[in-house]
């Protein structure tokens, strides 16, 4: 008999809390490609490798570590995912999104998702930060497919407001305070792992995408299913295919991520306590 997803998530949640040395995280942050520097701002951290957590899988991608970091961020206990697993690695949607269900069962109500993305809106340049206000799921799968367990959430969850507006406003406030330009836009999620063709990017622009990437949407859908509030932000690491003469490389994506990731880290670090207090 396969273990029910709810039991897997519960076992993992119990394990993580037992390792957390008394910390009770109030927010979870998922770090995208090259965006690991948020972790530097975490004090008194406890690290838990994914391969020690029941039912977790480990990222196979360069630039993605594989551990949870639990510690204090600006006075608030948080859990960071340093390294995410992607659908294109061959993992199932259930595996990709298990950590989000675990965070929910740990009592966390605030989820912050970060990613590296290609800019399809012309004003987005390498290094730009874009708060995600909505998404288009072009991954061809939905993480909630299959039997629904009502203990997580309803069969047909509403996705009118996946990304909490008050969180986006709080991010604008922080961005103004630290002198960072923060755009807003629609994120389109694709399966990957190949980058897009110029013709695909022309189509995506017509469909309303401002940025494109290969993650975030499954986690956001599962988070909303569990009733969590979501803030998501893209670090634009490259102009999307065909919009400039240059080709796209994962090294460039990581380099820009690391550079612009410093700004993103500062923004996230200052934002977390505001998101948590907006919830209570
Ligand atoms: N396309 C898809 N995913 C990405 C890109 C891109 O151009 N850049 C970083 N992640």
């Amino acid at each position: 008999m396969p273990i029910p997803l709810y039991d897997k998530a519960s076992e993992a949640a119990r394990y993580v809390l037992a390792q957390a040395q008394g910390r009770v995280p109030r927010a979870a942050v998922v770090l995208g490609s090259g965006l690991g520097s948020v972790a530097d701002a975490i004090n008194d951290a406890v690290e838990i490798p994914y391969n020690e957590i029941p039912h977790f899988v480990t990222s196979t991608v360069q630039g993605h570590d594989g551990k949870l970091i639990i510690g204090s961020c600006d006075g608030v206990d948080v859990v960071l995912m340093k390294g995410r697993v992607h659908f294109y690695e061959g993992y199932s949607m259930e595996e990709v999104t298990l950590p989000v269900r675990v965070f929910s069962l740990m009592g966390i109500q605030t989820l912050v998702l970060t990613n590296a993305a290609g800019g399809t809106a012309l004003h987005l340049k390498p290094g730009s930060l874009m708060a995600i206000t909505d998404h288009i799921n072009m991954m061809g799968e939905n993480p909630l497919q299959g039997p629904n367990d009502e203990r997580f959430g309803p069969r047909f969850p509403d996705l009118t407001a996946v990304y909490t507006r008050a969180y986006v406003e709080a991010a604008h406030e922080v961005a103004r305070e630290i002198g960072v330009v923060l755009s807003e836009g629609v994120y389109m999620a694709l399966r990957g792992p190949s980058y897009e063709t110029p013709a695909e990017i022309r189509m995506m622009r017509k469909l309303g995408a401002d940025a494109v990437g290969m993650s975030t949407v499954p986690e956001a859908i599962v988070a909303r299913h569990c009733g969590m509030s979501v803030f998501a932000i893209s670090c634009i690491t490259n102009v999307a295919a065909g919009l400039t003469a240059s080709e796209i490389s994962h090294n460039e994506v990581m380099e820009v991520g690391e550079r612009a990731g410093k700004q993103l880290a500062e923004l996230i670090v200052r934002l977390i306590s505001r998101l948590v207090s907006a919830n209570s």
Side-chain angles (χ1 to χ4, degrees), residues 89-109:
E89 293 175 71
Y91 293 120
S92 66
M93 281 288 178
E94 183 179 307
E95 289 168 322
V96 167
T97 57
L98 179 78
V100 174
R101 298 189 199 269
V102 171
F103 298 147
S104 171
L105 292 179
M106 287 166 60
I108 294 172
Q109 288 172 12

Side-chain angles (χ1 to χ4, degrees), residues 116-118 190 195-196 212-214 237-238 240 248 253:
L190 309 157
Y195 293 115
E196 302 71 36
V212 293
M214 305 170 194
T237 51
N238 57 280
I248 302 165
V253 166

